[in-house]
């Protein structure tokens, strides 16, 4: 998207035209990703620690372990984090 940003200042082409030429949605040109929260980073470290110790644990077992450790977590969220981290039970 760097090409669009450079041309945004020169205004030779409108953003709509640039998006059409690049075959991307115009809204994606305005999107700015959110920073990852410290809590999410800590949770991912804990998931990684549990998975490293028990590589046969899936999202359900990891969720149970995190709950035993006192964290209120959702299994679907843990599943998503594991997918994002590339973790899959043996």
């Amino acid at each position: 998207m760097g090409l669009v940003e450079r041309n945004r200042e020169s205004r030779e082409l409108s953003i709509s035209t640039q998006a059409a030429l690049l075959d991307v949605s115009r809204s994606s040109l305005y999107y700015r990703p959110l920073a990852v929260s410290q809590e999410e980073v800590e949770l991912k470290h804990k998931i990684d620690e549990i998975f490293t110790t028990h590589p046969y644990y899936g999202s359900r077992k990891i969720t149970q372990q995190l709950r035993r450790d006192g964290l209120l977590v959702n299994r679907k969220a843990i599943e998503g984090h594991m997918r994002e981290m590339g973790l899959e039970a043996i």
Side-chain angles (χ1 to χ4, degrees), residues 3-64:
L3 178 65
V4 172
E5 290 179 18
R6 260 186 255 122
N7 287 338
R8 207 184 267 178
E9 293 157 7
S10 68
R11 297 287 184 204
E12 292 176 15
L13 294 173
S14 70
I15 292 177
S16 298
T17 305
Q18 292 179 53
L21 290 171
L22 294 171
D23 196 30
V24 296
S25 68
R26 197 174 73 235
S27 64
S28 68
L29 300 178
Y30 295 104
Y31 176 73
R32 296 287 183 248
L34 297 174
V36 179
S37 69
Q38 185 62 31
E39 292 82 20
E40 185 176 339
V41 171
E42 290 172 6
L43 177 61
K44 287 182 178 181
H45 282 297
K46 289 178 184 178
I47 291 170
D48 186 49
E49 183 180 307
I50 293 169
F51 188 80
T52 302
T53 308
H54 307 285
Y56 45 87
Y57 275 14
S59 62
R60 292 171 197 260
K61 283 283 196 182
I62 290 178
T63 301
Q64 288 174 356

